Amino acid sequence: MTIRKFFNIVKLVIGAIAVTITSLWIGKLAYTWLPPQAAAESVLIDDLFSFLVTLGAFIFLGVTCTLFYSLLFHRAAENDYSDGPHIEGNITLEVVWTAIPILLVFWIATYSYQIYEQMGIQGPTALVHLHNPMGMESAYAATEDGLAEPEEQIDVLAKQWAWVFHYPEKDVTSTELHLPSDRRVKLALHSEDVLHGFYIPAFRLKQDIIPNHNIDFEFTPIRKGKYHLTDSQYSGTYFATMQANVVVESPEEYHKWLAKIATHKPGTAYNQASAEYAQSITQQVKTGWKTVAPAPAPLVNYPG
C-alpha cells in the first residue's frame, strides 16, 4: 500500500466519523424543533423523527462533502480541456448503491411500523379491519404492577364548526377538552356532518373523523398544561374557527373539575363561526361566497 493511498483511507475514515457525529447532533437537535412532549405517544414520534433527520443529514452531508472535496482537490488544471480518464461500469458499485437504499427503506418501514404498534391508538383499525379486528396493545397502557389502567372514556363530537366533549362519568359536556395526566384516555370520535380532523400538535396525534362512523382513539397525556386542538381537515368556510383548548391536569384536579361542572346547568356556548355567520347575513353588502349555515351553538355545562 502506497503512502498516498494510506492517507486517502485515513481522510475517508476521518470524514465519515465527522459526518456521523454531525448527523447525530442534528438528529438530537431535531427534538427542539417540535412542541413540548405532552403525550406518551409524542416521545415515540419524536424518536422516529430524530432518526429520520439523522439519516437524512448523514446522506446529505456525505454527498455534499464528497462533492466539495472533489471540486477542491480533483478539479482540472487551468486551461486543461482534455478528456477525463475513460472509466467502465463497476458492477459491484452498482449493486452496492442499489442495495443500500433498499435496505434503508426496509429499515425505515420496519421502525415506523413498530412505532405504530407501540402507539396503539386504534384509530383507522375500526374501518380497515371491520371483519377481522386487529388488537393493538400500547406500551403505555399498563401500570408499574403490570395491571391495565382504567381508561377514561370521553365522547368527541365534531360539527361545522365546533367541538363538543361529553364525559359519561358525570354525563356533562364542554367545549374545552379536559384530560387526566398519566392515564390512558379513550376518545369516541364522531362527526355530525362532514370529514373533520382531530389534531393536537403537542401530542403528535392526528385522526380523521369520518361521518357515520364512530372511531376509537387512544393515547396517554403525560404533561400538565394547556394545549391546542384544531381541525386538520378543511371542513367548510369557517373551519379555521374550529379550535378548542386541551387542559391536562392531575387525576384529582380532573375529577374535581368534573364534579364542579356537574352542578352547572347547560347553557349556550359562544361559537365564533355562528357569530361570524350571523354578522355576514345582516350585512347590506354581501362579500365572500355562499356557505352552509353553521350548526347551532352547542349547549354545554362548561363553555371553556
Side-chain angles (χ1 to χ4, degrees):
M1 179 184 295
T2 64
I3 296 179
R4 183 175 181 179
K5 187 175 182 180
F6 173 77
F7 278 113
N8 285 339
I9 294 176
V10 171
K11 286 189 289 185
L12 180 63
V13 171
I14 294 175
I17 293 174
V19 167
T20 301
I21 294 175
T22 306
S23 301
L24 291 172
W25 174 74
I26 294 175
K28 292 296 182 183
L29 193 65
Y31 286 100
T32 65
W33 303 345
L34 303 170
Q37 296 175 338
E41 290 73 16
S42 64
V43 179
L44 298 173
I45 293 297
D46 287 2
D47 288 345
L48 176 60
F49 183 75
S50 176
F51 165 73
L52 295 175
V53 170
T54 301
L55 194 59
F58 181 83
I59 295 173
F60 174 77
L61 293 175
V63 172
T64 53
C65 288
T66 302
L67 178 61
F68 279 113
Y69 179 83
S70 300
L71 290 174
L72 291 173
F73 300 105
H74 293 282
R75 63 179 184 268
E78 188 176 0
N79 300 321
D80 182 2
Y81 299 106
S82 60
D83 293 336
H86 180 72
I87 301 174
E88 295 289 343
N90 189 316
I91 300 299
T92 303
L93 182 61
E94 292 175 2
V95 170
V96 170
W97 74 38
T98 302
I100 290 178
I102 292 174
L103 294 176
L104 286 177
V105 168
F106 277 110
W107 187 13
I108 294 171
T110 302
Y111 184 25
S112 300
Y113 184 76
Q114 289 173 347
I115 294 297
Y116 177 75
E117 280 195 319
Q118 291 179 53
M119 288 175 64
I121 59 176
Q122 297 183 358
T125 56
L127 301 177
V128 177
H129 303 279
L130 288 174
H131 305 292
N132 184 23
M134 183 178 73
M136 297 178 69
E137 297 182 1
S138 169
Y140 297 92
T143 63
E144 294 179 356
D145 299 329
L147 301 176
E149 282 282 355
E151 293 176 343
E152 194 67 36
Q153 306 275 347
I154 302 174
D155 301 322
V156 179
L157 175 64
K159 57 183 179 179
Q160 294 173 304
W161 286 271
W163 296 101
V164 180
F165 310 103
H166 175 250
Y167 305 83
E169 179 181 335
K170 294 291 185 179
D171 192 24
V172 294
T173 55
S174 73
T175 54
E176 184 176 79
L177 179 58
H178 282 242
L179 301 170
S181 63
D182 303 307
R183 293 292 185 271
R184 190 70 175 167
V185 176
K186 183 176 182 180
L187 304 183
L189 305 176
H190 179 76
S191 172
E192 190 177 87
D193 35 52
V194 298
L195 182 69
H196 295 279
F198 183 92
Y199 178 47
I200 306 176
F203 292 1
R204 315 292 192 273
L205 295 175
K206 176 187 175 297
Q207 175 61 50
D208 292 345
I209 310 176
I210 303 171
N212 302 319
H213 288 90
N214 290 319
I215 300 177
D216 292 335
F217 190 65
E218 298 182 14
F219 55 90
T220 307
I222 60 173
R223 183 187 178 109
K224 298 178 185 177
K226 181 177 286 188
Y227 305 101
H228 191 65
L229 165 66
T230 186
D231 188 352
S232 61
Q233 298 288 348
Y234 179 74
S235 54
T237 306
Y238 300 102
F239 95 102
T241 67
M242 191 169 169
Q243 303 178 17
N245 290 325
V246 180
V247 178
V248 179
E249 52 201 350
S250 68
E252 295 77 18
E253 293 173 333
Y254 169 75
H255 289 291
K256 286 181 181 179
W257 176 80
L258 279 180
K260 180 180 178 181
I261 69 168
T263 63
H264 296 178
K265 292 183 178 180
T268 303
Y270 172 77
N271 183 263
Q272 185 177 347
S274 297
E276 292 185 9
Y277 178 77
Q279 184 180 10
S280 67
I281 61 176
T282 58
Q283 290 177 341
Q284 294 182 351
V285 179
K286 301 299 180 182
T287 59
W289 53 85
K290 291 185 178 180
T291 179
V292 298
L299 292 173
V300 294
N301 299 86
Y302 183 75

